[in-house]
Amino acid sequence: MPEQVSAGELAERVLAHPSVVRLHGGQFGEIASYLPGSKVVGVRLPDGGAAEIGVVLRLDRPLPEILDEIRGALVELLDEVPVDITVADVITTDEPAGSA
């Protein structure tokens, strides 16, 4: 994993995608990065292996397409590090964002 990448940078990049409603920490809050004095929920950068991202998505297009775009947005920051994305929930375009 590139040393200069931070959980905050990854979170910002993921949240910039129009289909991402919010980051999600997983069922037990296990997808998180702990920093001095703060925590980034929905992004975990382990020492080895894949980066983990948890999201709630607006299901406005096919899910594989959305996930490919999110991974593509992270390639520049992560180089060759694989990205595991957990979709914790989806909302349809008919539902208001607060109902998820």
Side-chain angles (χ1 to χ4, degrees):
M1 172 137 346
E3 290 185 29
Q4 70 275 10
V5 70
S6 74
E9 289 173 302
L10 291 178
E12 288 176 13
R13 190 71 62 100
V14 171
L15 288 169
H17 191 282
S19 295
V20 175
V21 176
R22 67 180 176 275
L23 293 169
H24 193 279
Q27 184 175 356
F28 301 106
E30 68 276 11
I31 304 173
S33 293
Y34 296 89
L35 308 170
S38 68
K39 174 170 94 170
V40 178
V41 175
V43 177
R44 183 165 56 181
L45 300 173
D47 290 333
E52 296 179 63
I53 308 291
V55 292
V56 174
L57 297 177
R58 182 173 297 104
L59 198 55
D60 52 359
R61 293 180 293 125
L63 192 56
E65 183 179 314
I66 296 169
L67 296 176
D68 284 346
E69 289 175 0
I70 293 170
R71 281 190 186 93
L74 300 177
V75 166
E76 177 185 318
L77 295 175
L78 294 173
D79 292 330
E80 298 296 317
V81 175
V83 178
D84 292 335
I85 301 174
T86 299
V87 179
D89 201 359
V90 296
I91 62 170
T92 65
T93 54
D94 299 342
E95 297 176 69
S99 68

